[in-house]
Amino acid sequence: MLINLLNISPRVSFDISPRVSSQRACRASISARDKSRHLSGSIPSEWGLLPLVNITLLGNRLTGPIPKEIGNIITLERLVLENNQLSGTLPPELGRLSNLKRLVLYASGLSGPIPLSIAHLTKLKDLMISDMTGPEFFFPPLQSMTQMRQL
């Protein structure tokens, strides 16, 4: 099953289609890793309405902020936006992603601080954030992240 996301938002320069796997018939993923073609434009806020499990958009030319609506995707387990040209700060709404296991945002173009709500992600196993610009800030407390294996 393919859903054409260009019908939802024309801001993305080529088709990103969530694929529904046979093992998870009701859950979809968005992944774009084609090295010969890069996505450009902003992340559509409309994705916050989709039952996504995986958003992997590493190594593209995405710009603009991470939409706060991404925090509505409670089914999301992986959010990988490394090596992009994003702007702004991490939306505190990401702290609502209660099923998130992997968050990779290094070299994404974002600035700090990291919101305290990140500490609510108790299922997080991998947290990779670096290269954030802006004023000095403290890292959120991680005591509740008992499943963390890579920081």
Side-chain angles (χ1 to χ4, degrees):
M1 174 184 193
L2 294 176
I3 301 169
N4 184 344
L5 293 178
L6 286 180
N7 292 334
I8 296 173
S9 177
R11 294 175 290 185
V12 178
S13 65
F14 75 88
D15 186 20
I16 306 173
S17 300
R19 301 188 190 294
V20 179
S21 74
S22 58
Q23 296 174 350
R24 295 183 176 180
C26 297
R27 302 170 94 191
S29 294
I30 295 173
S31 184
R33 295 186 208 173
D34 185 349
K35 293 182 180 181
S36 64
R37 298 175 7 192
H38 294 280
L39 293 179
S40 62
S42 58
I43 299 170
S45 61
E46 295 87 353
W47 288 1
L49 301 172
L50 300 173
L52 299 170
V53 174
N54 177 35
I55 297 177
T56 301
L57 297 170
L58 63 103
N60 287 286
R61 295 184 184 123
L62 298 175
T63 57
I66 296 174
K68 66 180 181 179
E69 291 82 3
I70 296 296
N72 295 333
I73 311 173
I74 59 170
T75 54
L76 198 61
E77 294 178 6
R78 287 175 300 285
L79 179 59
V80 179
L81 299 172
E82 67 185 87
N83 292 318
N84 276 288
Q85 300 163 2
L86 299 171
S87 61
T89 59
L90 288 173
E93 290 81 4
L94 293 183
R96 295 193 309 236
L97 299 174
S98 58
N99 288 304
L100 200 64
K101 296 175 183 170
R102 183 172 173 83
L103 178 60
V104 181
L105 299 170
Y106 62 84
S108 59
L110 297 168
S111 59
I114 298 169
L116 292 175
S117 64
I118 292 295
H120 297 204
L121 304 177
T122 58
K123 292 184 181 178
L124 209 57
K125 294 180 180 182
D126 300 310
L127 176 61
M128 293 181 257
I129 300 176
S130 69
D131 303 315
M132 294 183 82
T133 61
E136 187 175 315
F137 55 88
F138 291 101
F139 206 83
L142 304 179
Q143 293 91 332
S144 61
M145 296 180 173
T146 58
Q147 297 185 36
M148 185 71 66
R149 61 180 186 205
Q150 185 171 3
L151 175 63

